[in-house]
Amino acid sequence: MTLDKRIYLDHAATTPLDPRVLETMLPYLTEFWGNPSSLYLEAREARRGLDNARKTVAETLGCKTQEIVFTSGGSESDNLAIRGVAYGNRRRGSHIITTAIEHHAVLHTFERLEKEGFTVTYLPVDREGFVDLKALEEAVTAETSLVSIMYANNEVGTIEPIAEAARIVKERNPHCVFHTDGVQAVGALDVNIDRLGVDLFSLTAHKFYGPKGFGALYVRSRTPFLPQTLGGSQERDRRAGTENIAGAVGLAKALEMAYDEFEQRNAHSAALRDRLLTDVPRFTPKVRINGTTDLDRRLANNASFAFEYVEGEAILMALDLAGIAASSGSACTSGSLEPSHVLTAMGVPLEIARGSVRLTVGKDNTMEEIDRMLEVLPNVVARLRSLSPLAGAAEAARAGTGRG
Amino acid sequence: MTLDKRIYLDHAATTPLDPRVLETMLPYLTEFWGNPSSLYLEAREARRGLDNARKTVAETLGCKTQEIVFTSGGSESDNLAIRGVAYGNRRRGSHIITTAIEHHAVLHTFERLEKEGFTVTYLPVDREGFVDLKALEEAVTAETSLVSIMYANNEVGTIEPIAEAARIVKERNPHCVFHTDGVQAVGALDVNIDRLGVDLFSLTAHKFYGPKGFGALYVRSRTPFLPQTLGGSQERDRRAGTENIAGAVGLAKALEMAYDEFEQRNAHSAALRDRLLTDVPRFTPKVRINGTTDLDRRLANNASFAFEYVEGEAILMALDLAGIAASSGSACTSGSLEPSHVLTAMGVPLEIARGSVRLTVGKDNTMEEIDRMLEVLPNVVARLRSLSPLAGAAEAARAGTGRG
């Protein structure tokens, strides 16, 4: 088994750990393993690593170190943000708002809160996946205590107008707290908290070449917030548990590198993405682009397509055999038979949504790999369609010789 | 700065990552970094690592693989267990029981539930830290939905009679769910679930030479359980979030090694501990042993003392300067000015509890290190007492010349 020659086009699902990131983590897995809550030398070395990591994250986001809460990843950050504020800000009201296209870490948390008695508004999106800001403005009332809108969609790469959304919310109700799930945005977009104007921001390291199982949540000072994991007083009493220092150091290094190399990484990704968005439809008939074609409002690394008359999963399996890793949408729902809630919310018909394939490029992909993909994909799709009764029926119908 | 020559006697706070454990983790930090929820080759390799890790953990505990939920550590496991069952089993009743000497990850979670409307019984312990089983028996009613009793105390090393406690609870109310915080017990005690008779068992890797930021929760099949971190369907829908495969592999390897080397590690620890329990009081006047002197009912690696007329924190600082790392109790409450809730519950007077020092040995400590400790500690204590007005006053009072 070799992974050497394979082409990985699923960077939205996860990214490899950058060897330079691993290098910064290793001292905390070998030499500096003390419990940072303790008082002796071994602990102080660990504490220093943790403090420096927090400082780097805060500098990148343009916030204070005490506003960063380290977590075990994006799902925990989203859950903590939403439940922390929904309960912590409940005296302001029990109405909370999100969108129909959030990651399940957000959506399922809102659904739970709805069962617990909160009133939830799920904002619609347009055909390109942009949230309806007019609907947002109308939805926010004096009883709205929390709004959560993702910064960029993980399936179709649509970049939401977060700064504008936050401004609208605050104008309507200055006590309403604004959270954004920034998991897919970090490394691809500006993450300056002041420019965004958000109160909470979720991120996770493994989406930008950091380690799995480690994330962070920015929480603006004085945000009403009820901690969810109780115990020791780690993270200033906002998230108990012995700190994963290697994880923190890795997240910080990966984040720093993502913004040091921001321009070049995104220009590189955009070149590969643009090639895919242009040439996949050129080489394959009956394909639609999922998400926006306004490329400045789309993640630089995301290309998503819906192939008619064929199952996305079948394409993925054939690609895998050809040495190419891709996804039908969110990794978290792989294997599910449900259609994507994101595509459904965007109005993509079920039979089209089922043919979806998401290609997300990364810093180590090459144009040669994209060339190879563009050779393989049209053949895969043509072969599958030739086996598909749906495609046959449709073609036959078009030719006026419908077989019934 | 060198950590080479230092003597580490705080293994209850955390342990170094075993190099053999790190070695098993590294392939998952370099080569097999796929998202295990995805469908392609890279993902399958990651999935295999995760599955094998889960199998090892299940084998060690003698349970089914699907009963293991991976988490980010002991605090999350405890929070998840308690809230998961308190909410999940609420139709059986809102009365829940724990003890006065639990880790704060358990205690603070019960306190939160109490605020939310649950009725909580905090069981007392005796002077040695053993939970009162008679009080337990009397406390369990038809409305009791959850009992959580720790397997071994992190501060004083007392081993609780968990199997007997679980039997009592089930006899009184078969629908009552029994959780044990096994964080300090793993590696030191039998963890066979059937012999223990518990429904949930929390553990964390960094207490037995595994990585920080990774733990597990055993949840018996068919236990009423409401997941707390929502999102993707990882961990069979019981704990969302992209899996930390390196963490899982590290936890499994560390656990396997702990039980492969169980006899020798515990015999070694007990020899060092016994030397401390015997010779610290022999070489230092006015010292009490915290916890039980029934050595079979005490963790093999735990020695805890209360030195009269001196602050524990002052001893720790002096020890640190002398190259020795020790603790006053729980690492999670280091720096707190509160007296230990464990010692308080055991009836240790405040002025004595303040002089507490916990020494917890590990597999790599040597008898020479204990010799060195036994040279250093009496001098440190004597010097601090010579500076203490309390000690002077007490001595004077004893001599019949009290200064008022």
Side-chain angles (χ1 to χ4, degrees), chain B residues 367-386:
Chain B
M367 197 57 91
E368 289 67 38
E369 291 179 331
I370 303 303
D371 288 340
R372 171 80 185 138
M373 179 63 173
L374 289 167
E375 276 170 35
V376 171
L377 183 62
N379 291 329
V380 161
V381 173
R383 181 156 48 81
L384 290 168
R385 280 179 181 160
S386 75

Side-chain angles (χ1 to χ4, degrees), chain B residues 143-165:
Chain B
E143 276 70 49
T144 309
S145 52
L146 169 67
V147 173
S148 180
I149 300 178
M150 72 197 320
Y151 194 2
N153 184 269
N154 52 317
E155 295 191 30
V156 299
T158 301
I159 300 165
E160 302 298 342
I162 290 305
E164 204 178 338

